[in-house]
Structure formats: C-alpha cells, structure tokens
Amino acid sequence: METHAGQLFLQITQSPDLCEFLGLKDYMGVMYVITLVEKVVPVSDEHVKVTEDTFDGVDVVLYQPNVQEAGTNLRRAVIYLHGGGWCLGSPRMSPYDLLARKIVTELDAVVLSVDYRLAPPHHFPIPYEDVYRVVKHLFRKEVLAQYSVDPERVAVSGDSAGGNLAAAVSQQLRKEPGQPIKLKAQALIYPVLQALDLNTPSYQQNQNMPILPRTLMVRFWSEYFTTDKALFRAMMANTHNSPESSILLKFVNWSTFLPETYHKKYNYSAPAISQGAEREAASMEEPSRSFADPRASPLLVPDADLRFLPKAYILTCEYDVLRDDGIMYATRLRAAGVAVTHEHYTSGFHGAVMFTVWPTDFLIARRMISNYIKWLMENL
C-alpha cells in the first residue's frame, strides 16, 4: 500500500523535534523520510517518454509526448519546480510524476522537472542558482531543438518553495542586462514569497494547521539560510529584521496590499527591528542579508521591477500560512500592469495538489490541477 506524503506529514511533523532533542537525527533528516517514501522511478509509458539528464550540472527529469516520429511542430514547455521548503521534495515523488504526465498529455507539452539541490546541505542561494542555470540551459538553441521546444511558449511553475523559485527566476531574467530569454508565463501554486513578516493574518490564523504549521514554515525559512538556531528563534518571534531589511517592510505591508476581507480580526503591527547589540548572534548578520534578497523574497522589489513580468497564475488557499504572500503578490503585480489570474480556494489547504495518490486522492486536488492546466492551455 502506498502511503501519501500528506498523510505522513500529519503523522510526523511533530516527531522530528523529539528526535532532534534526543540526538537521534536532525529535524530535516527525519522530515526527508516523506520524500523517500513517495519516491518512484519515472519510466516511459505509451503516452509519455521520460528521460533523465543533467542541465549545466543540475539533474532534471524530462517528460515528452511519446510519439513514434518527431513532428515538425514546436511544443510549449513547462519548467516545474517542486515544493518542500527548499529542504524536502523531489521530481521523482509520485504526485509530481503524475502531475508532469498530466501536463504532457493534456497540453502536448514538454515538462522539465528540476531536481535542484536542497538545504540544509545547500543553503540559499544554491537552490535558486540551480534553477536559474537550468532555465538558461534550456534556452540554448541546440537544447530547444533537441526537445522541439518553442522558445516563445515556455512557462516556469512550481508549488510552495517551488513557486518562490519560479517567481524569483522570472524577476531575475528581466533584470539581467541583454537577457534574450522571455518566459511567456509564471504559474505559482501557493507560493512562499517573503521572509520579513511572519505574522501576517494567514500566519496567525493558520499557525496550527496540519501540513504546514507556522513553526514548520519558519523552520524551512531558517534552514534555507543557515543551520544556526539563533535565526530560527528570532524568526519565530518575528524579531529577525535588521535596520537594513526594515526599509523593505513597505513592500510586504499587508495592511496596504491585502484586501480587507483577509484582514479578519487582525491588526497590523510592523515587525520589530533588532539593533546590533540585541541580535542574538553575530552569525545572524549574513542570513539577514539573505532574507532581504529578492531572489529569496520576490515580494521585496519596487513596482518598477514588477512591470513587464510574464503573465501570472497564482493559486492560494484559505487554510495556509502562505495565503497572504500569494494574495499580496497578485495585488502588487496587477498594480504594476501584469496580467494576473488569481484563484483562491476557500476550502483549500497547503499542499493540496499533492493529494492525488490513493488512499488520499482528494477531489479538491483534482479540481486545482484541472483549473491550473486549463489556465496553461489558454495562456501558454
């Protein structure tokens, strides 16, 4: 019987703390069991051809329509980036394998699923840099020709931390002088987009929700930057901002960018600013610069940097600490003139699209994936 990753999350998100306390294994080492249990060996079938390759030193899994003779028509492509808080996950997990096959068969598209390196062994910006290198490699003329990809019909997409990486890459490609690559679309599924304010209404409302409680999301953020527990403690208290990062808080002010219906009972209070002597450890200084980096927190850019970004699809869920990140990004992108489709699921929860494998094959997951692929069909 196959056990679903979401079901495992419910059972063991609390146990890693105990294991770490007892010295048995580090927290993320225990959590990685989820990835291992869900792993499959992607194989070709009558509809989909699956190959594994390395793009500029980064492992990728390629899914293509399985046709006997290569046609002359170029295909659209989706670069997919898995979730898992930059610490967990793999393209070879069964829900991602199934999603890639569905995109291939319904869109007649090529799917490039990226196996970027994970924290804590590989802290920011390594996962981001892996993804950026893969995108640039795909757009090499010989690679586009090899996989029959139309360079004008390429989207970057991902869920959770993968949505973060997709948004960051979309921005950075636009910033690079003389960059010829033009992504047509970005599709972000409950993305995580900022590390400056971890007390937005959705962080407070859903702090104890299964799958992704606030403690786990903060742990993911801190592990992305450093193994020093001082940062985790400061982020839990929302006192991790330095005077340098505080000037960027205006870009994540939820009282401004979050529609009132999502304010709920909460009142805005700007995160505390820690001065040098108050910071718990000198080793927090480098991570504090990292979480103010837009490659880690794509919401932290001025409006001018949002203009001319590719059209966006943003999926958010009511029962998700990351809900407000996605909604604020949709608000800011629209204000900057970007075409945005925002789908909010009032009964949705973080990680829902992973619930496609028996015995947790949920209707809401099927609905989300159906709407997501429909948007790609119409916009890519």
Side-chain angles (χ1 to χ4, degrees), residues 20-304:
E20 191 174 60
F21 177 76
L22 295 175
L24 300 178
K25 193 170 179 62
D26 67 279
Y27 185 98
M28 287 305 164
V30 175
M31 291 293 289
Y32 196 73
V33 170
I34 298 165
T35 302
L36 296 177
V37 169
E38 279 289 340
K39 273 197 172 181
V40 296
V41 178
V43 296
S44 300
D45 59 32
E46 60 179 320
H47 302 294
V48 182
K49 177 183 177 183
V50 184
T51 56
E52 298 186 43
D53 205 342
T54 301
F55 277 23
D56 196 10
V58 182
D59 291 340
V60 297
V61 182
L62 284 142
Y63 296 81
Q64 305 169 74
N66 195 358
V67 293
Q68 295 300 317
E69 296 182 8
T72 56
N73 293 332
L74 297 179
R75 293 190 172 95
R76 48 191 154 193
V78 176
I79 302 166
Y80 197 87
L81 312 172
H82 68 79
W86 310 280
C87 300
L88 311 173
S90 165
R92 297 168 182 82
M93 293 174 69
S94 53
Y96 290 124
D97 180 64
L98 289 173
L99 176 59
R101 293 172 190 277
K102 193 170 182 65
I103 294 172
V104 170
T105 55
E106 295 198 18
L107 297 184
D108 188 35
V110 174
V111 175
L112 178 63
S113 202
V114 184
D115 197 6
Y116 56 88
R117 288 173 290 177
L118 302 175
H122 305 286
H123 296 297
F124 173 83
I126 290 175
Y128 162 81
E129 290 175 342
D130 282 356
V131 171
Y132 195 62
R133 294 208 316 272
V134 165
V135 174
K136 295 187 78 170
H137 186 86
L138 174 65
F139 276 85
R140 293 172 59 177
K141 288 184 178 180
E142 65 272 22
V143 179
L144 291 168
Q146 180 180 354
Y147 297 106
S148 301
V149 170
D150 183 346
E152 296 184 358
R153 301 181 75 191
V154 178
V156 63
S157 182
D159 61 296
S160 195
N164 166 283
L165 295 168
V169 165
S170 297
Q171 289 184 6
Q172 295 304 313
L173 285 171
R174 289 290 186 176
K175 288 181 181 178
E176 187 174 325
Q179 173 57 255
I181 296 173
K182 297 290 188 294
L183 294 170
K184 186 169 185 181
Q186 54 180 322
L188 317 177
I189 300 173
Y190 35 73
V192 49
L193 297 168
Q194 59 87 26
L196 265 57
D197 188 354
L198 305 178
N199 272 340
T200 64
S202 60
Y203 266 104
Q204 296 182 65
Q205 172 187 313
N206 300 301
Q207 62 181 319
N208 296 315
M209 281 295 294
I211 310 300
L212 190 65
R214 181 178 183 272
T215 302
L216 180 56
M217 188 62 240
V218 173
R219 173 88 63 157
F220 281 142
W221 265 125
S222 65
E223 294 278 0
Y224 190 29
F225 300 129
T226 179
T227 53
D228 192 314
K229 297 300 186 290
L231 180 60
F232 172 69
R233 291 189 290 268
M235 295 183 96
M236 280 297 295
N238 213 36
T239 58
H240 55 291
N241 283 285
S242 66
E244 292 75 21
S245 65
S246 67
I247 63 175
L248 301 173
L249 286 170
K250 61 185 178 182
F251 296 127
V252 296
N253 184 333
W254 60 260
S255 68
T256 299
F257 299 117
L258 196 64
E260 284 194 20
T261 184
Y262 298 104
H263 290 196
K264 310 288 184 179
K265 61 182 180 181
Y266 306 103
N267 296 313
Y268 181 73
S269 177
I273 309 304
S274 298
Q275 301 300 324
E278 298 170 349
R279 298 176 75 74
E280 187 171 356
S283 58
M284 277 182 56
E285 295 302 325
E286 181 60 35
S288 72
R289 286 190 289 272
S290 294
F291 59 68
D293 190 320
R295 296 175 302 167
S297 297
L299 261 174
L300 306 183
V301 295
D303 293 345

Side-chain angles (χ1 to χ4, degrees), residues 291-316:
F291 59 68
D293 190 320
R295 296 175 302 167
S297 297
L299 261 174
L300 306 183
V301 295
D303 293 345
D305 288 350
L306 297 176
R307 296 185 191 129
F308 311 116
L309 285 176
K311 66 180 75 173
Y313 173 88
I314 299 177
L315 183 157
T316 57

